[in-house]
Amino acid sequence: MAVSMTRVPVREQEPLVRAKNFEEVCLGYSEEEAVAEAERCLHCAKPLCVQGCPVSINIPEFIQEVKNRDFKRAYDIINESSSLPAVCGRVCPQETQCEGKCILGKKGDPVSIGKLERFVADWASENGVAPAKTKEQRPERVAVIGSGPAGLTCAGDLAKMGYQVKIFEALHQAGGVLVYGIPQFRLPKDQVVAHEVENVKKLGVEIETDVVVGKSVTIDQLMDEEGFDAVFIGSGAGLPKFMGIPGEQANGVFSANEYLTRNNLMKAYLHYDTPIHAGSKVVVVGGGNVAMDAARTALRLGAETHIVYRRSEKELPARAEEVHHAKEEGIQFHLLNNPVEILVDDSGWVRGIRCIHMELGEPDESGRRSPVEIPGSEYEIEADTVIMSLGTSPNPLISSTTQGLDTDRRKCIVAEESNGATSRPGVFAGGDAVTGAATVILAMGAGKAAAAGIHEYLQKNKKH
Ligand SMILES: Cc1cc2nc3c(=O)[nH]c(=O)nc-3n(C[C@H](O)[C@H](O)[C@H](O)COP(=O)(O)OP(=O)(O)OC[C@H]3O[C@@H](n4cnc5c(N)ncnc54)[C@H](O)[C@@H]3O)c2cc1C
Ligand code: SF4
């Protein structure tokens, strides 16, 4: 039977309906839809899709089990490589990873690998299937700093090997960016993130929240006084960058991180007591996933929302799906534009933003064409809120309180890619703390590599 070149479409909330609520945009596949989509997979002998997956999930095999309707087996196969499948199925940039390599993409639509992964993970959650705690118990104790995808993956893998693992998390809730950054309408918190965190706890991992390592306790104290044999740093890159333009200190200017944290973690969108300046006309500066999330959040809080980005559509770093959704929902894009000043009223509040038109010049070191200002092309956009989404870097708190821990010029912790080893024996690191802001799957891959590195280190340096 000829394979359909068109993927089974996934159901979504209508754009104008979802623009007014915080419910999940994508509704996912039903069982029949998932099986029909799985049937498009050719089960290639040399599957290119697996080469595109940073954690090498056995994609053809799990899809084969979806075809066979053995969803439990499909879940077990994914779980061998990924501890957060319900998250990855929703937020990974599949179009540039597994799906970007799928052979069917040469002539038509690639297999919807991400939506199938999500289907399997949701099926497992609805049917009470969870990874089992290992029987083997080892005496060594490992401290994991941060409960984002890097920390959760590292902790989960070590617990599966039988180590005693405790996560220390600065915030009051575990999950890292998955809870405080990515909004509810892309990644539901209770049904998906909390469930994935519970699965890691079921493996035996202990999580202590409200502990800021570097302030409440240092890495030296964890190792010398509290008896941890190794430490993994997965503290992310939560320090926002600003442009340094006039007016940036005005009331009504936020970093995207603060705006999203108030809304997601502190549930401002449910009209809790958390103060949030919803704004009636919001300008978001930037073009990444974070900018799309901030803009779509502002829209849902009732604002007319604009995105200002200095390069063209082709260079937008956000996932294609997020840009498409943002446009469908009515967000206005000002491409090839850059802010030069934030305009402030007499009482110190934002009243607008002055921008300048840009054109693309020669490629820079990233290979992307550099934006160049067009002299005399300044204009103003009226706004009462400006959200800066220009990227983030690691907070230097841990590196500045830990002796012998090398960092690079961007304040990222230096760690080996293959095993997470840092310059300090027994201390490993991975995820955004090492690479700077990146992706969930890369953070998970780094957590996995570090778990293997820690295992090797503990076996070589046995104390117990
Ligand atoms: C708004 C937003 C949207 C995004 N969208 C996507 C997307 O669609 N797809 C994608 O793949 N990626 C996306 N990303 C990027 C992705 O979320 C990150 O790359 C990933 O979460 C990094 O994981 P991590 O574990 O290294 O760090 P984080 O997720 O940042 O977790 C670090 C954790 O460490 C804790 N911590 C920090 N310092 C300390 C300390 N001193 N003591 C104790 N705990 C500490 C933090 O509170 C946090 O919980 C997005 C990021 C943001 C901000
Ligand atoms: S490359 Fe595409 S068709 Fe081939 S195994 Fe992977 S998902 Fe299936």
Side-chain angles (χ1 to χ4, degrees):
M1 197 178 68
V3 171
S4 164
M5 282 296 133
T6 315
R7 53 177 43 170
V8 174
V10 69
R11 287 161 297 120
E12 290 177 346
Q13 277 197 74
E14 287 298 320
L16 295 181
V17 174
R18 68 179 192 242
K20 294 194 173 63
N21 68 49
F22 277 85
E23 303 299 314
E24 196 171 10
V25 169
C26 176
L27 303 173
Y29 280 150
S30 66
E31 191 171 317
E32 293 314 315
E33 288 165 340
V35 172
E37 180 61 15
E39 276 168 358
R40 296 180 61 231
C41 174
L42 304 175
H43 202 270
C44 304
K46 286 197 183 134
L48 297 175
C49 53
V50 179
Q51 291 173 20
C53 173
V55 294
S56 305
I57 293 176
N58 191 340
I59 294 168
E61 282 308 309
F62 103 71
I63 294 183
Q64 182 64 37
E65 296 305 343
V66 176
K67 269 189 221 177
N68 297 341
R69 293 181 191 262
D70 189 343
F71 307 128
K72 160 84 172 66
R73 178 82 197 110
Y75 177 74
D76 290 341
I77 292 169
I78 298 174
N79 213 51
E80 283 164 14
S81 315
S82 164
S83 38
L84 306 170
V87 172
C88 290
R90 285 171 167 85
V91 305
C92 270
Q94 290 102 8
E95 67 274 19
T96 56
Q97 297 180 341
C98 53
E99 293 179 16
K101 295 258 166 136
C102 170
I103 192 85
L104 290 187
K106 290 203 180 353
K107 290 206 173 136
D109 293 340
V111 176
S112 280
I113 301 167
K115 301 287 184 286
L116 290 175
E117 182 184 20
R118 168 193 163 141
F119 166 79
V120 170
D122 288 355
W123 179 91
S125 149
E126 282 154 23
N127 289 276
V129 178
K133 188 172 173 181
T134 178
K135 289 203 178 66
E136 187 185 5
Q137 289 298 303
R138 298 177 192 266
E140 293 89 353
R141 297 175 68 219
V142 183
V144 170
I145 304 169
S147 61
L152 288 173
T153 304
C154 183
D157 274 22
L158 287 167
K160 282 183 197 161
M161 293 181 226
Y163 291 106
Q164 317 296 308
V165 189
K166 184 164 180 182
I167 297 181
F168 296 96
E169 167 55 51
L171 295 172
H172 64 271
Q173 212 174 317
V177 168
L178 309 180
V179 286
Y180 81 74
I182 304 180
Q184 175 82 6
F185 54 82
R186 275 212 297 135
L187 187 60
K189 305 301 154 217
D190 295 340
Q191 305 93 306
V192 179
V193 184
H195 183 82
E196 300 274 42
V197 171
E198 276 312 305
N199 277 352
V200 173
K201 282 198 200 161
K202 281 184 189 147
L203 294 169
V205 173
E206 199 185 329
I207 303 184
E208 189 175 342
T209 53
D210 299 309
V211 182
V212 182
V213 176
K215 272 215 163 104
S216 332
V217 64
T218 62
I219 288 186
D220 292 295
Q221 285 168 328
L222 287 173
M223 296 184 87
D224 300 341
E225 295 168 23
E226 298 203 19
F228 286 98
D229 301 284
V231 173
F232 173 75
I233 308 170
S235 50
L239 198 65
K241 293 183 187 155
F242 286 91
M243 292 186 81
I245 55 174
E248 230 174 0
Q249 308 302 329
N251 293 322
V253 180
F254 293 85
S255 71
N257 261 37
E258 180 187 343
Y259 190 81
L260 288 167
T261 303
R262 280 174 184 266
N263 204 59
N264 298 333
L265 188 65
M266 296 157 81
K267 307 240 184 294
Y269 72 94
L270 292 176
H271 308 294
Y272 278 34
D273 290 341
T274 314
I276 187 141
H277 184 63
S280 57
K281 195 162 175 187
V282 174
V283 172
V284 177
V285 181
N289 285 321
V290 184
M292 299 304 138
D293 284 344
R296 296 173 72 200
T297 297
L299 182 89
R300 282 162 173 74
L301 290 173
E304 177 189 312
T305 308
H306 300 252
I307 286 183
V308 172
Y309 176 60
R310 65 196 181 126
R311 290 185 157 101
S312 72
E313 170 125 22
K314 206 166 118 239
E315 289 85 22
L316 275 170
R319 292 187 61 200
E321 184 174 81
E322 304 317 325
V323 176
H324 169 70
H325 281 156
K327 284 187 177 168
E328 273 189 340
E329 289 165 10
I331 287 167
Q332 298 172 45
F333 282 70
H334 303 250
L335 301 169
L336 284 168
N337 281 281
N338 207 26
V340 287
E341 182 182 358
I342 291 170
L343 307 167
V344 187
D345 69 14
D346 293 342
S347 40
W349 280 88
V350 172
R351 67 171 178 83
I353 182 163
R354 178 171 294 129
C355 297
I356 187 162
H357 289 289
M358 313 289 280
E359 59 189 353
L360 291 179
E362 295 301 311
D364 61 15
E365 66 276 11
S366 73
R368 295 184 303 171
R369 291 175 65 193
S370 313
V372 183
E373 291 184 354
I374 303 177
S377 64
E378 286 95 341
Y379 68 101
E380 291 178 6
I381 307 176
E382 204 185 293
D384 58 8
T385 307
V386 173
I387 302 173
M388 291 294 184
S389 180
L390 307 157
T392 51
S393 58
N395 189 316
L397 180 63
I398 291 179
S399 49
S400 63
T401 53
T402 311
Q403 295 249 331
L405 191 63
D406 287 352
T407 54
D408 65 16
R409 62 182 170 80
R410 297 180 303 152
K411 301 271 180 266
C412 295
I413 296 170
V414 177
E416 292 195 25
E417 204 180 324
S418 60
N419 61 9
T422 68
S423 52
R424 173 84 189 261
V427 178
F428 296 74
D432 283 6
V434 169
T435 55
T439 61
V440 169
I441 194 80
L442 288 176
M444 280 178 53
K448 239 183 160 20
I454 291 171
H455 173 56
E456 198 186 338
Y457 167 83
L458 291 175
Q459 293 312 303
K460 269 197 199 139
N461 297 277
K462 269 195 164 301
K463 288 189 204 147
H464 300 274

